[in-house]
Amino acid sequence: MQNSKILNKNKQVIDYKGTRRLSVAPMLDWTDRHYRHMARQITQNTWLYSEMINSGAIVYGDKNRFLMFNEGENPVALQLGGSDPAELAKAAKAVEEYGYDEVNLNCGCPSPRVQKGAFGACLMNEVDLVADCLNTMQDAVQIPVTVKHRIGVDRQTEYQTVADFVGTLRDKTACKTFIIHARNAWLDGLSPKENRDIPPLKYDYVYRLKQEFPKLEILINGGITTNEQIAEHLQHVDGVMVGREAYHNPMVMREWDQLFYGSSHAPIEYADLVQRLFSYSQAQIQSGRGTILRHIVRHSLGLMHGLKGARTWRRMLSDAPLLKDNDGTLILEAWREVEKANRFGLGE
C-alpha cells in the first residue's frame, strides 16, 4: 500500500494522496495524451493538465479527437478556452463524461489568437463574465471547476487587482481552486513566448492571496524549475504547478512522489521507463488511429537530460529517415546508445 502521508511544516501528518500538491501545467501543443502517458509513468500522484482546448472545438467537433485520453492518466484535468457560458457548459459536460477529474477555465493565455476569441488573459478584465462561465460550467458537472489566471493584465501592477479578481470569484461562484501564474500578461507588445519570461515574477502576490483567502486552494505557477524551489513554495501555498521544466526535463518529476506525496515506492528506472515507452508506442501505432512514432517520441527528447549520450538520444528520436519506418524499436536502439555511454548495468 502506498504511503502518501508526510509531515507538513507544523509537524502534522497530512495525507496528500489525490491532492493538487504538484501538477504539470497545461501547455499548448505539448501536454497531449502522449506526453501525459510518459509523465504518468514517472509520477503516479502529480496532477496532469491537458493543453488548452477551445470549447467550440469540443461542442461542434470530433470529441474523440480532443477528449480521448489513455487509461491510467488520472488524476487528469482538461483546460478549456472560451467565453460563452452556454458553450463552456456543454464542453464541460463532455469533459466529465469522458472521465476527467477536473475542468479548468483558461484566464491566463496571452496569445493574439486567444485574444481574438475574447478569452484567455483578457477575461481578467471581465470578472463578471468569468463568474457566469464558472457558474454555468459547475451547474453542468459534478467534477471540480477551477480557474487558471495571471496576477494582472498589461500595466496592472498592484496586488489589489488580482485580489479583487479572486475575491469576486470567491463571492460569486463555487470555485475553490485558483491556479495563479505569478506574472502579468501583456496583451500588447509581447509575444506569447516573451510573456513567459519578461514580465517579472511576483511570487509574493500569490502568497498574499493564500493569506487573504485561506479557505481557497491556491496553486502557484511560473518559472519553477527545481525541487528546492517547489519545497519553498509549499511553505506558503497549497500546490505548485510546473510547466516547461517538466516538459524539457521530464525526469525532474522522478522523485516527486517520494518527496512531496510521501510515497514509499522507488522512483522508476530509466530502463523500465524506456521499455514502457516502447510498449506504448507499439500499441498506439497498431491501434489503427493513425498515430505515428514522431507524435509520441517528440515529447521524450529531453528524457535523458544530464546523462551521457543525451545528444545521441535526441538526434535519433528526431531523425526523419530513422522515424519513417514508424517502428518503436527505434526507442530501444536510442536507449542502447545511452546505456553504452553511461555503462548502465555493467557494475560501474
Side-chain angles (χ1 to χ4, degrees):
M1 183 69 178
Q2 181 169 330
N3 175 23
S4 60
K5 297 179 180 179
I6 58 179
L7 292 175
N8 70 357
K9 64 180 180 180
N10 296 318
K11 307 301 182 184
Q12 297 171 308
V13 178
I14 303 294
D15 188 351
Y16 288 109
K17 190 174 178 63
T19 70
R20 299 176 186 82
R21 187 165 169 80
L22 280 181
S23 55
V24 175
M27 292 177 279
L28 198 59
D29 297 325
W30 287 3
T31 51
D32 64 13
R33 63 188 180 89
H34 301 312
Y35 169 80
R36 297 194 307 267
H37 172 269
M38 178 183 69
R40 182 56 72 221
Q41 308 314 303
I42 301 170
T43 169
Q44 293 296 302
N45 293 291
T46 300
W47 278 67
L48 304 177
Y49 282 73
S50 77
E51 55 189 329
M52 184 187 70
I53 308 295
N54 187 296
S55 58
I58 294 173
V59 173
Y60 304 109
D62 181 350
K63 289 183 175 57
N64 264 341
R65 176 187 172 193
F66 297 108
L67 297 179
M68 183 178 67
F69 65 94
N70 300 296
E71 183 179 353
E73 280 187 36
N74 304 83
V76 60
L78 187 132
Q79 186 183 72
L80 287 175
S83 58
D84 182 302
E87 186 177 272
L88 283 165
K90 292 178 182 177
K93 185 64 177 175
V95 169
E96 180 180 53
E97 290 171 349
Y98 267 73
Y100 287 84
D101 301 286
E102 171 196 328
V103 58
N104 176 265
L105 179 64
N106 184 316
C107 292
C109 182
S111 78
R113 182 174 61 176
V114 167
Q115 291 180 52
K116 289 179 181 177
F119 57 96
C122 60
L123 281 177
M124 288 195 68
N125 291 324
E126 300 185 63
V127 66
D128 289 336
L129 175 58
V130 174
D132 288 343
C133 291
L134 292 173
N135 284 329
T136 308
M137 292 164 69
Q138 194 66 80
D139 287 346
V141 299
Q142 299 299 311
I143 58 175
V145 175
T146 67
V147 61
K148 186 172 190 291
H149 58 91
R150 297 279 185 134
I151 58 172
V153 175
D154 293 323
R155 301 305 192 270
Q156 299 170 345
T157 58
E158 297 299 318
Y159 165 75
Q160 200 57 44
T161 298
V162 68
D164 289 345
F165 181 81
V166 171
T168 299
L169 295 181
R170 178 202 58 179
D171 294 341
K172 293 189 173 184
T173 77
C175 184
K176 299 298 182 186
T177 301
F178 293 74
I179 306 168
I180 303 151
H181 187 154
R183 301 182 196 269
N184 273 43
W186 290 5
L187 304 182
D188 185 24
L190 291 183
S191 69
K193 182 179 184 300
E194 290 170 328
N195 259 290
R196 294 192 294 267
D197 295 304
I198 292 178
L201 286 160
K202 296 182 179 180
Y203 294 137
D204 59 306
Y205 279 21
V206 186
Y207 297 169
R208 287 177 65 183
L209 287 171
K210 181 59 188 176
Q211 294 171 354
E212 186 172 346
F213 305 102
K215 293 184 179 180
L216 297 180
E217 183 181 27
I218 302 292
L219 280 62
I220 196 167
N221 171 233
I224 301 164
T225 60
T226 70
N227 291 337
E228 290 75 19
Q229 291 170 352
I230 291 171
E232 173 58 29
H233 287 305
L234 287 174
Q235 299 299 309
H236 306 278
V237 293
D238 300 298
V240 175
M241 175 175 276
V242 179
R244 285 170 287 167
E245 187 68 15
Y247 187 86
H248 293 304
N249 179 21
M251 283 304 229
V252 72
M253 300 182 282
R254 188 167 178 249
E255 296 181 323
W256 285 3
D257 288 349
Q258 286 187 324
L259 292 175
F260 303 114
Y261 284 95
S263 172
S264 59
H265 293 180
I268 192 168
E269 298 292 339
Y270 281 89
D272 293 337
L273 177 56
V274 168
Q275 186 61 48
R276 292 185 192 183
L277 295 181
F278 164 70
S279 299
Y280 174 77
S281 69
Q282 294 297 79
Q284 291 293 311
I285 291 167
Q286 295 166 12
S287 68
R289 300 191 189 115
T291 303
I292 61 175
L293 184 62
R294 178 172 57 84
H295 292 161
I296 299 172
V297 298
R298 71 185 182 95
H299 300 301
S300 61
L301 297 183
L303 200 56
M304 303 301 159
H305 179 81
L307 297 182
K308 296 176 183 177
R311 183 178 298 178
T312 301
W313 169 271
R314 293 194 301 271
R315 177 184 57 77
M316 291 182 68
L317 295 186
S318 58
D319 186 295
L322 293 178
L323 289 166
K324 68 178 176 61
D325 292 335
N326 212 32
D327 186 346
T329 56
L330 178 63
I331 298 172
L332 302 180
E333 293 169 7
W335 168 242
R336 279 194 287 270
E337 295 302 312
V338 177
E339 270 191 314
K340 285 190 294 185
N342 292 274
R343 302 183 69 82
F344 289 140
L346 299 179
E348 297 187 12

